[in-house]
Amino acid sequence: MSERKLAFLYSPEIEGLSYPPDCPFKTQRAGLTGQRLKSFGLLGTDGRIEVAPRKASLAELKKFHADRYLQELQRVAGGDLTVEGFYMGLGGLETPVFKDLFDYGAWACGAGLVAADLLLSGQADIAFNLLGGFHHAMPERAAGFCYLNDVVLAGIKLAEAGKRVLCLDVDAHHGDGTQVAFYQRKDVTTISMHETGRTLFPWGGFENEIGEGPGRGYNVNIPLPPETYDEAFLTAFDSVVVPLVEFYRPDVIVLELGMDILAGDPLTHLRMTNNVVVEVLEQLLRFNRPMLVAGGGGYHVENTVRGWALAWRTCCGENDECDFGMGMGGVMLASSEWAGGLRDRALAVTTEQRHAVESELQTTLDHIARQIYQLHGIRLRTGQGAAAPGKAG
Ligand SMILES: [Zn+2]
């Protein structure tokens, strides 16, 4: 068992806050994950504590958001949508106007800031803020269910404390708000793996967006083809993300762990199982850095809750052996649902799917190797097939 100190940001106080009932974004997911973890005895015990967040103050929100935008958010939450609000992205299908809009966002951002404080003070090694993950929110614009950007605010706070920060985003959607915040900075590196902007909102996040000025080479996008499956995803993660984490040597990692990467998500087109969540976390845990895990997307509620619970369990260092659905040699023999387990069973990959994903992904990884690796003089290790050794220069 690991000795890591884990903190789960949550308070029953936010349970009354919710998006409109017909909105795919469900605020209940964090609370449901907490309940699941408690039922497994993985939360509320020594070293795995629940910590109440607080609302972020206006002064804190202004570290990223414009004053007039914050004023407008509060106005529309009162039921008053203006033309100015409309031009700030408010009132669309994915940015509905509702009573709790400002409050929920402020709680999520406050939770991110408390999580950052817990890491900075050493009270936690890993802090989960599943209330947050609002990576599309821009300084003056709402988008994709996001109004206030907790990921950016936590990143800024950690950087202000003198830390080298890595914002790693594996949500199915490109972390565009986070990219914008840190595009010209090298003290905060952003890496986003996401379904390609050719087929999914926010329609950007391509591999040639690599940062500007001092931030050049410190913004990395890894667009994934639709239908990307576990093995392809992990090839990209192992061959590109892991060497980059080694190169950037962050003091602290902010991980956006959206569960809309999972097969069956109603809004996206990726085909991963939650087994990749375990692999990603195990790789990151090896770096032994404080880590803030933010929630994000995930529109199939049960899959999302299981994925996040699995992520927490992985951070606890309690893994496969207690999962009844897991067969020998890492092969899933049966659905984990009936066994009460958290892991998904493996999904079959068709030949067509493999061909379509492999060639496109290979091109992307080669491109990243040429640009980013070359810029930093990173040498490829032998056997890193995906990034095509020899082509990286
Ligand atoms: Zn998403």
Side-chain angles (χ1 to χ4, degrees), residues 92-143:
L93 267 181
E94 295 184 343
T95 49
V97 166
F98 56 102
K99 177 173 67 65
D100 300 328
L101 171 163
F102 184 80
D103 280 348
Y104 187 81
W107 273 107
C109 290
L113 295 172
V114 172
D117 274 331
L118 291 168
L119 299 180
L120 288 170
S121 68
Q123 287 171 274
D125 301 310
I126 299 174
F128 272 55
N129 175 22
L130 302 181
L131 303 170
F134 292 115
H135 59 170
H136 299 307
M138 296 288 180
E140 281 191 86
R141 189 160 53 79

Side-chain angles (χ1 to χ4, degrees), residues 130-189:
L130 302 181
L131 303 170
F134 292 115
H135 59 170
H136 299 307
M138 296 288 180
E140 281 191 86
R141 189 160 53 79
F145 313 124
C146 304
Y147 305 85
L148 296 168
N149 200 319
D150 59 291
V151 178
V152 166
L153 291 173
I156 290 172
K157 186 180 187 74
L158 293 163
E160 280 180 352
K163 304 295 181 190
R164 289 164 61 94
V165 182
L166 168 66
C167 289
L168 172 61
D169 188 325
V170 297
D171 187 277
H173 300 87
H174 173 228
D176 53 347
T178 313
Q179 169 169 306
V180 161
F182 303 118
Y183 206 59
Q184 300 186 351
R185 289 173 69 157
K186 65 183 291 188
D187 58 335
V188 182
T189 300

